Amino acid sequence: MSRHSKWAKIKHQKTAEDVRRGAIFTKMARGITVAAKEGGGDPATNFKLRLAIDQARALNMPKENIERAIKRGTGELTDGAKIEAVLYEGFLPGGIALIIESLTDNKTRTASTVKHLLSKHSGNLNAPNSALWMFEKKGIIRCKGANQEKEKFQLQLIESGAEDLIEEEGGWTIYTKPEELQNVKENLEKKGITIEFASTEWTAKNKIEIKDQKMKENLENLCEELDNEDDIDNYFTNAAGF
């Protein structure tokens, strides 16, 4: 999976530093809270909430933490700050575009942080829709080691609403339209296929190759700093290999 994948980053953080687990759980809880706020607290009828809970459980987040996060979203608990989803768009030298998703309790603080990080790496925070038009929303499903013959499996997926299938790193990465993500995921589960990760992500319509090593290192350093910011939920770039 490409390096911008939230799942790839979270798994790396989980295995590399247990001390980051609290921070990871904080990010997971914020995602659950926002999903519950937007669509209600029942995962049976709120697919976005179900995905957020699945991700939290995959990382062994305690059940009570999940339940508290849901109750904060539905308003049953008022012991936490109001969490909002905010999207930021920026550019680095060389035409590198960035979409940064945030779940924050302080938009002013987070905007200042994002602006500082971009500026630190010779980039700029830009106006809404300055970079977003270069991306499209996709459903992403990661299946671990599905024992399927590719052409037959691909045909079944297309019939279920999938757009593309890529075999990589011992499993499959499946792309869908956002509105077809739930249908494809449920069809895979009915076939007994284990879903490692499912979400929606911003995918660049056209990727650009970074040939300059300093520019590549600059982007890598920015990505690492974004990973370490509690307010940053995910980020995406049009740079190939990220």
Side-chain angles (χ1 to χ4, degrees), residues 173-214:
T173 299
I174 299 158
Y175 293 85
T176 77
K177 292 180 180 178
E179 61 270 20
E180 294 292 342
L181 177 61
Q182 180 175 0
N183 182 50
V184 175
K185 180 177 182 290
E186 290 176 351
N187 282 335
L188 287 169
E189 289 169 336
K190 288 176 184 177
K191 296 178 186 296
I193 295 171
T194 301
I195 305 298
E196 190 177 27
F197 173 78
S199 186
T200 55
E201 299 185 354
W202 291 103
T203 302
K205 296 175 183 176
N206 296 292
K207 289 283 190 176
I208 61 172
E209 292 286 343
I210 306 176
K211 297 182 180 179
D212 185 274
Q213 186 60 31
K214 288 185 177 180

Side-chain angles (χ1 to χ4, degrees), residues 7 17 28 31 54 71 75 84 102 105 109 150 156 162-163 165 181 183 186-187 197 230 242:
W7 183 242
E17 292 184 76
M28 293 283 97
D54 287 346
K71 289 179 179 178
E84 298 179 87
S102 169
D105 59 2
R109 179 193 67 221
K150 184 174 181 181
Q156 292 174 331
E163 291 187 326
L165 171 68
L181 177 61
N183 182 50
E186 290 176 351
N187 282 335
F197 173 78
D230 289 343
F242 285 82

